[in-house]
Amino acid sequence: MDNSSGVGVLDKAAIVLGALEAGPATLAQLVAATHLARPTAHRLAVALEHHRFVSRDMQGRFILGPRLAELASAAGEDRLLAAAGSVLLALRDHTGESAQLFRRQSDQRICVAAAEKQMGLRDSIPVGATLSMLAGSAAQVLLAWEEPDRLHRGLHGAKFTATILSGVRRRGWAQSVSEREVGVASVSAPVRGPSGRVIAAVSVSGPIERMTRQPGRLHANAVMAAANRLSDVLRTGDND
C-alpha cells in the first residue's frame, strides 16, 4: 500500500515520528530506521524538535515530544467539558464554594468550566478567564507533574517552590492561601488523560474566612473525588 500523501516533507516527517514510536534513537539509528539521507533526517528531526513534536533524552537521543500528548489530550476536550458541568455543580453543592476546571495554555491557565456559589461572599472566576501559572493551587497542580526541565522553568518567578510541588505530588492535591489573591484560598487536584498525563485541574476557591488557612483539610477529599470522576470519564468514555 502506498502511504504517500503527495506532500513529500510531511510524508518524511511522518516517517521520522513513526520511527521514534519504537523508542529513543540516535541520528544514525534514525537514518537506519527511516532510510532517509542523513542530512534530511537531521533537518526534519531538528525542525520537529523546534515545534515540540520531537525532544531529546538525557543521552541526547531523539524521542517523541510533549506536543503530541498535548494534542491527544485536546482531542478529549469535548468529553471533558461535557462531563465537567455536573461534576463541578456537585462539588460546589458539597463544599459550598465556587468550583472551577482549569487547562494549561502555554504560560497561563484558562478557566474552561465553572460552577459559582449562588449567594454570599465568593471567589468568582468566569469561564474563559486567564490566570497566571505562577500562583494558586491549580497552577501548582498543572506544573507539579511536568517533565523536570519544564517544571524548573515554570518555577521562575512563581510564588511556590519545588518543595511545595514535591508535596503536591506526594499528596495528590494542592492548596494555596492568599497566593493568587489576598484573602482567597483554594484547593486543587489533577485530572488525568487516558495516558495518565495531567491535563487539567479541578479547584474550589473561596474566602479564607470560610476556607481557613488549611483549606485542604476541609476540601481535599471532595476535590480529589471530583477530579478522579473526570479522569474516569476520559479513560472509559462513561459520561453518565
Side-chain angles (χ1 to χ4, degrees):
M1 184 177 68
D2 183 8
N3 287 325
S4 171
S5 70
V7 183
V9 67
L10 288 181
D11 291 339
K12 290 172 183 175
I15 291 170
V16 169
L17 293 173
L20 293 179
E21 187 178 2
T26 63
L27 179 57
Q29 290 168 332
L30 201 56
V31 169
T34 62
H35 305 294
L36 296 171
R38 186 182 179 92
T40 301
H42 183 259
R43 186 173 70 250
L44 285 169
V46 170
L48 289 165
E49 184 180 12
H50 175 77
H51 290 288
R52 300 174 63 243
F53 287 101
V54 167
S55 294
R56 308 275 186 125
D57 65 9
M58 297 296 284
Q59 287 76 48
R61 297 175 298 181
F62 294 107
I63 58 173
L64 292 176
R67 185 69 185 130
L68 293 165
E70 291 166 4
L71 290 172
S73 69
E77 179 98 355
D78 288 346
R79 237 185 6 229
L80 178 63
L81 293 182
S86 61
V87 170
L88 293 181
L89 283 171
L91 181 60
R92 180 199 69 186
D93 293 344
H94 180 80
T95 62
E97 303 295 346
S98 298
Q100 304 91 26
L101 179 69
F102 291 97
R103 295 290 303 265
R104 182 173 183 174
Q105 192 172 89
S106 187
D107 294 326
Q108 297 175 315
R109 54 187 169 103
I110 312 294
C111 179
V112 295
E116 291 290 350
K117 180 178 169 60
Q118 295 299 303
M119 298 173 59
L121 193 60
R122 62 186 186 271
D123 181 37
S124 183
I125 302 173
V127 172
T130 301
L131 302 180
S132 170
M133 277 293 294
L134 299 177
S137 63
Q140 293 175 29
V141 162
L142 292 170
L143 189 61
W145 283 273
E146 282 283 10
E147 302 152 351
D149 59 336
R150 204 171 184 209
L151 187 154
H152 289 298
R153 284 200 305 273
L155 284 170
H156 292 308
K159 293 186 179 180
F160 43 79
T161 64
T163 302
I164 288 173
L165 295 188
S166 177
V168 171
R169 289 191 298 275
R170 186 176 65 252
R171 291 190 309 264
W173 55 270
Q175 65 180 1
S176 68
V177 178
S178 290
E179 191 174 281
R180 175 180 62 83
E181 186 177 335
V182 174
V184 172
S186 67
V187 181
S188 299
V191 177
R192 297 180 182 274
S195 68
R197 182 176 176 272
V198 174
I199 63 165
V202 171
S203 303
V204 293
S205 59
I208 292 174
E209 286 83 351
R210 284 197 309 266
M211 297 278 285
T212 78
R213 292 194 166 273
Q214 292 291 332
R217 289 181 181 174
L218 291 177
H219 300 310
N221 287 341
V223 174
M224 284 195 295
N228 290 340
R229 173 70 183 120
L230 289 176
S231 298
D232 289 344
V233 167
L234 293 177
R235 187 175 65 251
T236 66
D238 177 14
N239 206 10
D240 294 332

